Amino acid sequence: MSEAALLIEADDPVLDSAFVIEMVRQMRAIDAYGTYDNWSVNKILDPFVMTKERKREIPVIGDPDEVTMSRVKAFYNAIAAMIEKECGLMAVPMLNLSHEGFGRVIITVGKLVVMDRTLRDVHRFGFASLSKMKDEADKLLSVALEIIGKHSEVAGM
Amino acid sequence: MSEAALLIEADDPVLDSAFVIEMVRQMRAIDAYGTYDNWSVNKILDPFVMTKERKREIPVIGDPDEVTMSRVKAFYNAIAAMIEKECGLMAVPMLNLSHEGFGRVIITVGKLVVMDRTLRDVHRFGFASLSKMKDEADKLLSVALEIIGKHSEVAGM
């Protein structure tokens, strides 16, 4: 992908939000070969932006590839990390792909399920824009924190 | 494996327990080609008995094969089915193998994690005897039901 094709601007203010910083950290954590070392932040996160045009180019046959899976994991790991920061309790993500891009992802805190989502069309995992990704993350985070607040005893088990 | 090598007796009284009947049901459910149709119950469950001698014959290289995985799933599906029968709420198992036979399996009821186990050495999944398997299942079941009883509000979410 050429630099010109990036869909996130280098000066996008959303890049400074806590969630996006955590996302970059997660992406760098799985980058065992240092491929991203010299990449700008907007280039690292660019594949998360999934426009209609990009979706059209992705075949939906068989199981999603490792790179796509690692992005899905990075997103939910980042959510778990944010939950952990906010509530001070360990949040553990668990992802299960059944077949052909379907699956389920949950995040548990203690004995409490704070997020539970069915995954569909994992091949084309992504968001309409960077700010849409942040909105989605903020929503999941606030719902999770609300559940933890209500059932703190179970979350502390 | 010849009939003579079976490690469960055909008249073992444990075969009549509710859990073992559920196990057989789970094993038949995943038997898409009807291989087990003419098999006796003790023959179907025989691979769950994992003696030291049998363990020694199993190589622990790479990921466990599909047949082993299906047995692990059948066991935890049966536990989930028993929980569901006892408490009347849907119990959902979720199994995640990370690599080389390590993983995690949880069962959730509503937003409550009623069972959470780390899996090790999945290649050699099994129990010393049929009654040991039933004991293990009974233990998991009673712990799960206790948690549900204590936190019925979260389990009903």
Side-chain angles (χ1 to χ4, degrees):
Chain A
M1 206 183 297
S2 68
E3 283 287 340
L6 291 185
L7 292 176
I8 303 174
E9 301 293 329
D11 57 356
D12 192 323
V14 180
L15 288 173
D16 298 324
S17 65
F19 176 72
V20 172
I21 291 168
E22 181 59 44
M23 277 297 299
V24 174
R25 219 168 61 89
Q26 293 290 340
M27 288 299 282
R28 289 203 195 275
I30 53 174
D31 177 33
Y33 299 104
T35 319
Y36 301 155
D37 281 0
N38 299 314
W39 286 26
S40 59
V41 171
N42 58 327
K43 190 175 173 187
I44 294 175
L45 294 182
D46 193 68
F48 284 94
V49 178
M50 194 53 74
T51 56
K52 270 186 191 162
E53 290 69 34
R54 282 188 175 179
K55 279 191 183 177
R56 219 173 288 142
E57 284 167 22
I58 301 171
V60 208
I61 297 167
D63 286 333
D65 58 37
E66 279 301 310
V67 181
T68 307
M69 286 308 304
S70 72
R71 279 203 294 273
V72 177
K73 283 178 199 162
F75 179 73
Y76 290 105
N77 281 349
I79 306 263
M82 296 298 287
I83 294 173
E84 203 164 315
K85 259 181 216 165
E86 292 285 335
C87 76
L89 296 165
M90 199 168 79
V92 189
M94 186 172 169
L95 194 138
N96 197 359
L97 270 205
S98 47
H99 56 91
E100 304 273 318
F102 282 78
R104 188 184 175 207
V105 55
I106 64 167
I107 297 178
T108 56
V109 175
K111 294 261 177 229
L112 190 63
V113 179
V114 298
M115 197 207 75
D116 189 346
R117 302 195 102 191
T118 303
L119 296 174
R120 282 186 201 86
D121 208 10
V122 171
H123 305 78
R124 293 163 169 173
F125 179 79
F127 304 87
S129 67
L130 184 69
S131 72
K132 281 273 191 317
M133 177 164 85
K134 189 185 165 296
D135 290 350
E136 180 71 16
D138 288 345
K139 215 170 61 186
L140 291 173
L141 181 63
S142 72
V143 171
L145 292 175
E146 198 192 314
I147 298 176
I148 295 169
K150 260 190 205 153
H151 304 286
S152 52
E153 193 200 344
V154 181
M157 272 170 83
Chain B
M1 206 183 301
S2 70
E3 283 287 337
L6 292 183
L7 292 176
I8 303 173
E9 300 293 329
D11 57 356
D12 192 324
V14 180
L15 289 172
D16 299 324
S17 66
F19 175 73
V20 172
I21 291 168
E22 182 59 45
M23 278 296 299
V24 174
R25 220 168 60 88
Q26 293 289 341
M27 288 298 282
R28 289 203 195 274
I30 52 174
D31 177 33
Y33 299 105
T35 319
Y36 300 156
D37 280 0
N38 299 314
W39 286 26
S40 59
V41 170
N42 58 327
K43 191 174 173 187
I44 293 174
L45 295 182
D46 193 66
F48 285 94
V49 178
M50 192 55 73
T51 56
K52 271 185 191 161
E53 291 69 34
R54 283 189 174 179
K55 280 190 182 175
R56 219 173 288 143
E57 285 166 22
I58 301 173
V60 208
I61 298 168
D63 286 333
D65 60 34
E66 279 300 310
V67 180
T68 307
M69 287 308 305
S70 71
R71 280 203 293 272
V72 178
K73 283 179 199 163
F75 180 73
Y76 291 104
N77 281 348
I79 306 261
M82 295 298 288
I83 294 173
E84 202 164 314
K85 259 180 215 165
E86 291 285 336
C87 76
L89 296 164
M90 199 168 78
V92 189
M94 187 169 167
L95 195 139
N96 199 359
L97 271 206
S98 47
H99 57 93
E100 305 273 320
F102 282 78
R104 187 184 175 208
V105 56
I106 64 167
I107 298 178
T108 56
V109 174
K111 295 262 177 228
L112 191 63
V113 179
V114 298
M115 197 207 76
D116 189 347
R117 303 196 103 189
T118 302
L119 297 174
R120 284 188 200 84
D121 207 11
V122 171
H123 305 77
R124 292 163 170 173
F125 179 79
F127 305 87
S129 67
L130 184 68
S131 71
K132 280 274 191 313
M133 176 162 88
K134 190 185 165 294
D135 290 351
E136 179 72 17
D138 287 345
K139 215 170 60 187
L140 291 174
L141 182 64
S142 72
V143 171
L145 293 175
E146 198 191 318
I147 298 176
I148 296 170
K150 259 189 203 154
H151 304 285
S152 53
E153 194 200 345
V154 181
M157 270 169 84

